[in-house]
Amino acid sequence: RSLVGSEMCIRDRYQRRVRGSKLRDSHQEEFRDLKMAETQEGIKRLIAAEKEAQNIVKEAREKRVALLRQAKEDATREVEEYKNTRMNQFKEYKAKHTQGTDDIQKQLAKETEETIQRIQEQVKQSGPEIVKLLLEIVERV
């Protein structure tokens, strides 16, 4: 059967729509595949960036811990040095200001011993007189 001009136009228009629809569907599939590939690549890049960020944070923490440890060691060393310096200064001061104290102590001990001996001699000499006086006082009472 032969088609009339208007039927041919309708048929051609229909066929163009079908072909356009198929072409559009084909392009949409390609576009969707391309988008998925880009999305997957983007996800991979994000995961890689996240791992890199985690490594950077880990390294920063390790450096911080190392710096804190070093600071603590330095502070301990400085405190020990200061303590030793002050102790040496004290020893020098003590040696400077206590020179002769041994001599003074020996002199005082000698004088004390001499005083005790004098008192004991006086007691021996005046002992009988003191006893006599004490007896007289007791008798009076």
Side-chain angles (χ1 to χ4, degrees):
R1 148 171 190 219
S2 71
L3 298 175
V4 189
S6 62
E7 291 176 334
M8 286 177 30
C9 284
I10 293 172
R11 181 197 67 194
D12 291 343
R13 204 175 330 140
Y14 175 77
Q15 287 178 351
R16 275 189 303 230
R17 281 187 188 162
V18 169
R19 271 184 288 174
S21 176
K22 287 181 183 178
L23 186 61
R24 190 178 37 222
D25 290 345
S26 168
H27 287 311
Q28 284 179 348
E29 282 183 38
E30 288 175 15
F31 182 73
R32 187 176 55 238
D33 291 344
L34 184 62
K35 277 292 195 184
M36 284 186 70
E38 287 177 1
T39 303
Q40 289 175 353
E41 183 62 32
I43 290 172
K44 288 178 184 177
R45 279 189 275 151
L46 283 173
I47 291 172
E50 186 176 334
K51 285 181 182 180
E52 184 179 346
Q54 287 175 347
N55 288 336
I56 290 171
V57 169
K58 180 182 175 186
E59 289 174 10
R61 284 183 182 151
E62 289 171 355
K63 285 180 183 178
R64 183 176 141 248
V65 168
L67 287 174
L68 287 173
R69 186 178 298 122
Q70 184 64 40
K72 183 178 178 182
E73 290 171 3
D74 291 346
T76 302
R77 187 180 70 258
E78 287 177 15
V79 166
E80 194 62 33
E81 288 173 1
Y82 180 75
K83 180 180 170 184
N84 290 336
T85 301
R86 293 299 287 172
M87 186 57 79
N88 289 336
Q89 289 174 349
F90 173 72
K91 286 177 182 178
E92 290 173 9
Y93 178 84
K94 182 179 173 184
K96 182 178 179 181
H97 290 87
T98 59
Q99 287 178 345
T101 56
D102 290 338
D103 295 339
I104 293 171
Q105 286 177 345
K106 289 177 184 177
Q107 180 66 29
L108 285 174
K110 183 179 176 184
E111 289 176 8
T112 303
E113 187 64 34
E114 289 174 356
T115 304
I116 289 172
Q117 286 178 359
R118 265 196 326 247
I119 292 172
Q120 286 177 347
E121 286 177 19
Q122 288 176 356
V123 168
K124 283 181 186 178
Q125 290 175 359
S126 58
E129 290 179 24
I130 294 175
V131 172
K132 195 177 188 183
L133 284 173
L134 285 172
L135 286 175
E136 287 178 11
I137 293 173
V138 169
E139 288 176 358
R140 284 187 205 158
V141 177

